[in-house]
Coordinates of all heavy atoms in Angstrom, one line a residue:
F14 N 3.8 6.4 -7.4 CA 3.1 7.1 -6.3 C 4.0 8.3 -6.1 O 5.2 8.1 -5.8 CB 3.0 6.2 -5.1 CG 2.3 6.9 -3.9 CD1 1.0 7.2 -4.0 CD2 3.0 7.2 -2.8 CE1 0.3 7.7 -2.9 CE2 2.3 7.7 -1.7 CZ 1.0 8.0 -1.8
M15 N 3.5 9.5 -6.2 CA 4.3 10.7 -6.3 C 3.6 12.0 -5.9 O 2.4 12.0 -5.8 CB 4.9 10.9 -7.7 CG 3.8 11.2 -8.7 SD 4.3 11.4 -10.4 CE 5.2 13.0 -10.3
R16 N 4.4 13.0 -5.6 CA 3.9 14.3 -5.4 C 4.3 15.1 -6.7 O 5.4 15.0 -7.2 CB 4.5 15.0 -4.2 CG 4.0 14.4 -2.9 CD 4.5 15.2 -1.7 NE 3.5 16.3 -1.5 CZ 2.7 16.4 -0.5 NH1 2.6 15.5 0.4 NH2 1.9 17.4 -0.4
V17 N 3.3 15.8 -7.2 CA 3.5 16.5 -8.5 C 4.2 17.9 -8.1 O 3.7 18.6 -7.2 CB 2.2 16.8 -9.2 CG1 2.4 17.6 -10.5 CG2 1.6 15.4 -9.5
S18 N 5.3 18.3 -8.7 CA 5.9 19.6 -8.5 C 5.0 20.7 -9.1 O 4.2 20.4 -10.0 CB 7.3 19.6 -9.1 OG 7.2 19.7 -10.6
R19 N 5.2 21.9 -8.6 CA 4.5 23.0 -9.2 C 4.7 23.2 -10.6 O 3.9 23.4 -11.5 CB 4.8 24.3 -8.4 CG 4.1 25.6 -8.9 CD 4.1 26.7 -8.0 NE 3.3 26.5 -6.8 CZ 2.0 26.6 -6.7 NH1 1.3 26.9 -7.8 NH2 1.3 26.3 -5.6
A20 N 6.0 23.1 -11.0 CA 6.4 23.2 -12.4 C 5.8 22.2 -13.3 O 5.3 22.5 -14.4 CB 7.9 23.1 -12.5
T21 N 5.7 20.9 -12.8 CA 5.1 19.9 -13.6 C 3.5 20.2 -13.7 O 2.9 20.0 -14.8 CB 5.3 18.5 -13.0 OG1 6.7 18.3 -13.1 CG2 4.6 17.4 -13.8
A22 N 2.9 20.6 -12.6 CA 1.5 20.9 -12.7 C 1.2 22.0 -13.6 O 0.2 21.9 -14.4 CB 1.0 21.2 -11.2
E23 N 2.0 23.1 -13.5 CA 1.7 24.2 -14.4 C 1.9 23.8 -15.9 O 1.1 24.3 -16.8 CB 2.7 25.4 -14.1 CG 2.2 26.0 -12.7 CD 3.2 27.1 -12.3 OE1 4.3 27.2 -12.8 OE2 2.8 27.7 -11.3
E24 N 2.9 23.0 -16.2 CA 3.0 22.5 -17.6 C 1.9 21.6 -18.0 O 1.4 21.7 -19.1 CB 4.4 21.8 -17.8 CG 4.7 21.3 -19.1 CD 4.8 22.4 -20.2 OE1 5.1 23.6 -19.8 OE2 4.7 22.1 -21.4
H25 N 1.6 20.7 -17.1 CA 0.5 19.7 -17.4 C -0.9 20.4 -17.7 O -1.5 20.1 -18.6 CB 0.2 18.8 -16.2 CG -0.9 17.8 -16.4 ND1 -0.8 16.8 -17.3 CD2 -2.0 17.7 -15.7 CE1 -1.9 16.1 -17.2 NE2 -2.7 16.6 -16.3
Y26 N -1.2 21.5 -17.0 CA -2.4 22.3 -17.1 C -2.3 23.5 -18.0 O -3.1 24.4 -17.8 CB -3.0 22.6 -15.7 CG -3.6 21.4 -15.0 CD1 -3.1 21.1 -13.7 CD2 -4.6 20.6 -15.6 CE1 -3.7 20.0 -13.0 CE2 -5.1 19.5 -14.9 CZ -4.6 19.2 -13.6 OH -5.2 18.1 -12.9
K27 N -1.2 23.7 -18.7 CA -0.9 24.9 -19.4 C -2.0 25.5 -20.3 O -2.2 26.6 -20.4 CB 0.4 24.9 -20.1 CG 0.4 24.0 -21.4 CD 1.8 24.1 -22.0 CE 1.8 23.2 -23.3 NZ 3.1 23.2 -23.9
E28 N -2.8 24.5 -20.9 CA -3.9 25.0 -21.7 C -5.0 25.7 -21.0 O -5.8 26.4 -21.5 CB -4.5 23.9 -22.5 CG -5.3 22.8 -21.8 CD -4.5 21.7 -21.2 OE1 -3.2 21.8 -21.2 OE2 -5.0 20.8 -20.6
H29 N -5.0 25.6 -19.7 CA -6.0 26.3 -18.8 C -5.4 27.5 -18.1 O -6.0 28.1 -17.3 CB -6.5 25.4 -17.7 CG -7.1 24.1 -18.3 ND1 -8.2 24.2 -19.1 CD2 -6.8 22.8 -18.1 CE1 -8.6 22.9 -19.4 NE2 -7.8 22.1 -18.9
S30 N -4.1 27.9 -18.5 CA -3.4 28.9 -17.7 C -4.1 30.3 -17.7 O -4.0 31.0 -16.7 CB -2.0 29.1 -18.2 OG -2.0 29.5 -19.6
A31 N -4.9 30.6 -18.6 CA -5.6 31.9 -18.7 C -7.0 31.8 -18.0 O -7.7 32.9 -17.8 CB -5.8 32.4 -20.1
K32 N -7.4 30.7 -17.6 CA -8.7 30.5 -17.0 C -8.7 30.8 -15.5 O -7.7 30.5 -14.8 CB -9.2 29.1 -17.3 CG -9.4 28.9 -18.8 CD -9.9 27.5 -19.1 CE -9.9 27.3 -20.7 NZ -10.0 26.0 -21.1
P33 N -9.8 31.2 -14.9 CA -9.8 31.6 -13.5 C -9.6 30.3 -12.6 O -9.2 30.6 -11.4 CB -11.2 32.1 -13.3 CG -12.0 31.7 -14.5 CD -11.1 31.5 -15.6
F34 N -9.8 29.1 -13.0 CA -9.6 28.0 -12.1 C -8.2 27.4 -12.2 O -7.9 26.4 -11.4 CB -10.7 26.9 -12.4 CG -10.7 26.5 -13.8 CD1 -9.8 25.5 -14.3 CD2 -11.7 27.0 -14.8 CE1 -9.8 25.0 -15.6 CE2 -11.6 26.6 -16.1 CZ -10.8 25.6 -16.5
F35 N -7.3 28.0 -13.0 CA -6.0 27.4 -13.2 C -5.2 27.3 -11.8 O -4.7 26.3 -11.5 CB -5.2 28.3 -14.1 CG -3.8 27.8 -14.3 CD1 -3.4 26.7 -15.0 CD2 -2.7 28.6 -13.8 CE1 -2.1 26.3 -15.2 CE2 -1.4 28.2 -13.9 CZ -1.1 27.0 -14.7
A36 N -5.2 28.4 -11.1 CA -4.5 28.3 -9.8 C -5.0 27.2 -8.9 O -4.2 26.6 -8.2 CB -4.6 29.7 -9.1
G37 N -6.3 27.1 -8.9 CA -6.9 26.0 -8.0 C -6.5 24.6 -8.5 O -6.3 23.7 -7.7
L38 N -6.4 24.4 -9.8 CA -6.0 23.1 -10.4 C -4.6 22.8 -9.9 O -4.3 21.7 -9.5 CB -6.0 23.1 -11.9 CG -7.3 23.0 -12.6 CD1 -7.1 23.2 -14.1 CD2 -7.9 21.7 -12.4
V39 N -3.7 23.8 -10.0 CA -2.3 23.6 -9.7 C -2.2 23.4 -8.1 O -1.5 22.4 -7.7 CB -1.4 24.8 -10.1 CG1 0.0 24.7 -9.5 CG2 -1.4 24.9 -11.6
E40 N -2.9 24.1 -7.3 CA -2.9 23.9 -5.9 C -3.4 22.5 -5.5 O -2.8 21.8 -4.7 CB -3.7 25.0 -5.2 CG -3.1 26.3 -5.2 CD -1.7 26.4 -4.6 OE1 -1.5 25.8 -3.5 OE2 -0.8 27.1 -5.1
Y41 N -4.4 22.1 -6.1 CA -5.0 20.8 -5.8 C -4.1 19.6 -6.1 O -3.9 18.7 -5.3 CB -6.4 20.7 -6.5 CG -7.0 19.3 -6.4 CD1 -7.4 18.8 -5.1 CD2 -7.2 18.5 -7.4 CE1 -7.9 17.6 -5.0 CE2 -7.7 17.2 -7.3 CZ -8.1 16.8 -6.1 OH -8.6 15.5 -5.9
I42 N -3.6 19.6 -7.3 CA -2.8 18.4 -7.8 C -1.4 18.4 -7.1 O -0.9 17.3 -7.0 CB -2.7 18.4 -9.3 CG1 -2.4 17.1 -9.9 CG2 -1.6 19.4 -9.9 CD1 -3.5 16.1 -10.0
T43 N -1.0 19.5 -6.5 CA 0.3 19.5 -5.9 C 0.2 19.3 -4.4 O 1.2 19.2 -3.6 CB 1.1 20.8 -6.1 OG1 0.3 21.9 -5.7 CG2 1.5 21.0 -7.6
A44 N -1.1 19.4 -3.8 CA -1.3 19.4 -2.4 C -1.1 18.1 -1.7 O -0.6 18.0 -0.6 CB -2.7 19.9 -2.1
C45 N -1.4 17.0 -2.4 CA -1.3 15.6 -1.9 C -0.7 14.7 -2.9 O -0.7 15.0 -4.1 CB -2.7 15.2 -1.4 SG -3.4 16.1 -0.2
P46 N -0.3 13.5 -2.5 CA 0.2 12.6 -3.5 C -0.8 12.1 -4.5 O -2.0 12.1 -4.2 CB 0.7 11.4 -2.7 CG 0.9 11.9 -1.3 CD -0.1 13.0 -1.2
I47 N -0.4 11.7 -5.7 CA -1.2 11.1 -6.7 C -0.6 9.8 -7.1 O 0.6 9.5 -6.7 CB -1.3 12.0 -7.9 CG1 0.0 12.1 -8.6 CG2 -1.9 13.3 -7.6 CD1 0.0 12.5 -10.1
V48 N -1.3 9.0 -8.0 CA -0.7 7.9 -8.6 C -0.6 8.2 -10.1 O -1.8 8.4 -10.7 CB -1.4 6.6 -8.3 CG1 -0.8 5.4 -9.1 CG2 -1.3 6.3 -6.7

């Protein structure tokens, strides 16, 4: 049970980095805890 850091989120979603929804993905996954 953890909070994802911004750096981990950006690396995890790096294949989407040029897409318009990238920032939203990173914000969402880092906003609250995940499992």
